[in-house]
Amino acid sequence: MNTPLSWIKAYVPELDVTPQEYTDAMTLTGTKVEGYECLDKNLDKIVVGQILSIERHPDADKLIICQVNVGTETIQIVTGAPNVKVGDKVPVVLDGGKVAGGHDGGPLPENGIKIKKGKLRGVESFGMMCSIEELGSTRDMYPDAPENGIYILPQDTQVGADAIELLGLRDSVFEYEITSNRVDCYSVIGIAREAAATFDKPFVPPVVTATGNSEDIHDYLTVEVEDENLCPRYCARMVKNIKLAPSPAWMQRRLAACGIRPINNIVDITNYVMEEYGQPMHAYDYDLIAGHKIVVKRAAEGDVFQTLDGQDRKLDSTILMINDGEKEVGIAGIMGGENTKITDNVQTMVFEAACFDGTNIRLSAKKIGLRTDASGKFEKGLDPNNASEAINRACQLIEELGAGEVVGGMIDVYPVRREGKRIPFEPEKMNRLLGTDISQETMLSYFKKLDLGYDEEKNEILIPTFRQDLGCMADMAEEVARFFGYDKIPVSLPSGEATTGKLSYKLRVEQVAREVAEFCGFSQGMTYSFESPKVFDRLLIPADSQLRQTVTIQNPLGEDFSIMRTLPLHGMLSSLSTNYNRRNKNVRLYELANIYLPKSLPLAELPEERMQFTLGMYGDGDFFDMKGVVEEFFDKVGMHKKLRYNPEAGKPFLHPGRQAEISYEETVVGYLGEVHPDVADNYKLGEKTYVAVIDMPAMIPFTTFDRKYTGIAKYPAVTRDLSMVVPKEVLVGQIEEIIQQRAGKLLESCQLFDIYEGAQILAGHKSVAYSITFRAKDHTLDDQEISGVMKKILNGLQGLGIELRA
């Protein structure tokens, strides 16, 4: 939607703003301005000049020397224009002035072209006469401009006057982004109403006066609407004694600024009213309407109709057509037909202004592959009460421009009149919703500026039919907010018991999972919740496994998407496989997604949905890197002290000797390990791949974000190294558990710093070394205390068959 500011000012006469002020204010009140173009950009010192004399250039056959009166003086201009003569009045750019572009009509320079006095083939020239292209415009906007030459101004133009002002180029064209619910703003009047309310200026819409001679249109034409659902209103008027001619300059300028090429007075009037009122119109040649009858009905299946653009359109029974007594003459709301188009020989015509079902127009335009300005407006759902006003405005312009004689009366098929709505006026609720304290009087003043009424007795807002977007209290609160000013609304939380201002506990834990994964170099992935039953074979899941008890989708896209997943590994391994086969190195992915476990089969109730935190990687890193990521996560959610790892996890899809079940206080919360080589082959993974899965519902009860501050230790720490010979089957986790139990409160930390297996170690054993740090909070430890604690630790370790290394 484009509008020139001059057209808006025609209906808001007191509007006096710069283009940027207009852009900012209209955008803030909800009529978003995408941008604007100043038509006088790069035009400077251009006046009306009159050619007093012309003589040939002594040294150039194609150049002439003109003496031009520019009001304050007579200057000499050398030009090659072929169309000028003595007495012509032309736009002249003076020395030091600027024009927008060159005469070739090419792309306009960003900063225009500066004109300076100089010599052309030895003869001085003190300015330049301009073509319409040099003024930054086109022949579409100025059809009277010559194709190749200087633009000639009317003879009654005042010499020395501002040529830019006279040509209507002291204007700006604005481009808007109008949302589909604001149908009223697909018109200049609608935009002007918003501008008047925005700048608190009087809104002066055009006054439509009565038109028509003493005849009655019903004596000439009949209209029948067979499908009232698709055509709730149809208005028709007639014009006799048509006099085709160019439309006046002001109308041509406004249409061209909106991107519509002027054609003639009749066509221009229909386009003008469409832009002004947002109501598309169409004109038919009355003498070509068979039976002088119009019938609005659906097309027959398989009909072929030729539209005004000369194209044959294949129709079906869902497309609404305008017919005469014998044939189809137009596709309703989209385009008229070649068989009744207005030609230069037209004598009498029928004006149509109707309201069609927006959904049907949109679907019909798509089916026939033809979308027009009219269909673009109709598909938004127009106000049927606007049709009569628009057609009367068109007839008024016909009479004012002397384009024909309007026949009296109007045919108006409108079986069910659309009435406006009433919304209770609830200022207290609006203020609570907005967090404001706006008075009732201020709210009503906003509504009045928007042409909304108020029934004081019933305390109701009266909504006119052109505001189809207003339907409830929240809509009215939005109207108040946009004119009060969003920037003036104070910051406040919505009221209500559920408002805590933070994420739920479950979401906080999930947020920590994302942060830890991404900090450790993992990228988030998203995979489908539905997959193929063949997944279990690829993952080596036993035939009798509970995991094969799945929720089956009733209407799947195919077998590959026919069940809901019961474990999250297929999606993760598929994503890793895709990356591997695209030669991506060192890939790390994570996902937070549900699995679906049926409580019984066949389903009698909804399945259990369990959130799984899944990590997968290949490339740089091994089992212990993955374990480190898992422990980082558990540490962040307060679960670092009681984690246990059981290598007998029994997961068939993981390597038998490189997997572990993760438990916390005897509750299994997940597992991790290297993917089984056969599974890796099934997924075409050529590198060792590691995965970890954490069951979020199982672990969340043990999490905590409570943290207690402890100050810097006042007393020194004591460190002891412990080097042991340990049976291979003993896990370091068992060793650490005994150290923690036996050391008690004095233990600050124990760090594993060496594991060694080799010829120097007893067969079936390994060497393990720990650095153990002790510290007391209230005193300095002595050797006797440390020795006692170390003895307890060693006694506990002996129970596992562990001996100190010599």
Side-chain angles (χ1 to χ4, degrees), residues 101-149:
H103 66 277
D104 57 356
L108 300 179
E110 179 64 26
N111 298 314
I113 300 174
K114 193 165 186 177
I115 304 300
K116 296 181 179 180
K117 64 180 180 179
K119 291 184 178 182
L120 277 74
R121 301 292 293 271
V123 177
E124 286 189 312
S125 182
F126 296 90
M128 185 181 79
M129 294 181 281
C130 303
S131 67
I132 203 65
E133 288 78 14
E134 288 163 333
L135 296 175
S137 193
T138 65
R139 295 183 67 242
D140 285 340
M141 193 165 181
Y142 295 85
D144 56 331
E147 186 171 355
N148 183 21

Side-chain angles (χ1 to χ4, degrees), residues 527-536 539 546-571 593-599 601 603 605-610:
T527 61
Y528 290 116
S529 295
F530 31 85
E531 50 196 26
S532 169
K534 298 176 183 178
V535 165
F536 301 115
L539 293 172
Q546 190 70 22
L547 293 173
R548 290 181 180 262
Q549 304 299 311
T550 62
V551 177
T552 303
I553 300 173
Q554 288 186 346
N555 55 341
L557 298 174
E559 184 184 7
D560 288 344
F561 304 97
S562 60
I563 63 170
M564 303 300 291
R565 63 185 173 192
T566 56
L567 73 169
L569 289 179
H570 171 68
N594 286 336
I595 59 171
Y596 304 85
L597 305 177
K599 298 173 183 176
L601 289 176
L603 282 179
E605 56 183 319
L606 292 175
E608 180 184 6
E609 299 183 25
R610 299 184 71 85

